Amino acid sequence: MSAPASVSLSMGDWDTQQAAARPVRIAVFVEEQRVPVELEWDEDDARSVHVVARNAAGLSIGTGRLLPDGHIGRLAVCHAAREQGVGSAMLRALMRRAQERGDKQVMLHAQIQAKAFYVTHGFTPEGVEFMEAGIGHVLMRHSFD
């Protein structure tokens, strides 16, 4: 997993990753973006592979998950760590994991303000904008062919 030199990535199930992933998701989604806390946690966490990014001090600064159906979600980077390649490294790691397990494609619900980020990673938008947790999103896909 390639990440900025001062950042390490780890992957695992929810049991092994949640202590590091939860604070990031609370900071980004619940506090910063005002997503209702009851919408943040779902049964998909237990079924997903999770990636966590940590800084040189070992503090978690990013997270994301890959569901069994190839859906990437909950990709979040703490405010102070943005624009440093952390999100890209986590996204590439999740995409690699999907490809390694034989997925033909990955998909995600991109927040409209992050659409360009995903386009740079080969994702293509599909359909019309929709609302999720009060935030505009668009479905995006990337095929591994």
Side-chain angles (χ1 to χ4, degrees), residues 81-107:
R82 291 183 191 152
E83 305 295 326
Q84 298 173 28
V86 176
S88 291
M90 291 188 307
L91 180 60
R92 285 192 306 268
L94 291 169
M95 292 170 69
R96 235 182 344 269
R97 177 62 62 94
Q99 195 169 22
E100 288 167 356
R101 71 182 187 189
D103 293 4
K104 301 296 183 213
Q105 67 174 356
V106 286
M107 71 210 81

Side-chain angles (χ1 to χ4, degrees), residues 39-60:
L39 296 180
E40 183 53 31
W41 315 114
D42 60 27
E43 65 280 351
D44 288 334
D45 282 326
R47 304 180 317 118
S48 298
V49 174
H50 296 264
V51 64
V52 170
R54 290 179 176 81
N55 65 15
L59 300 174
S60 55

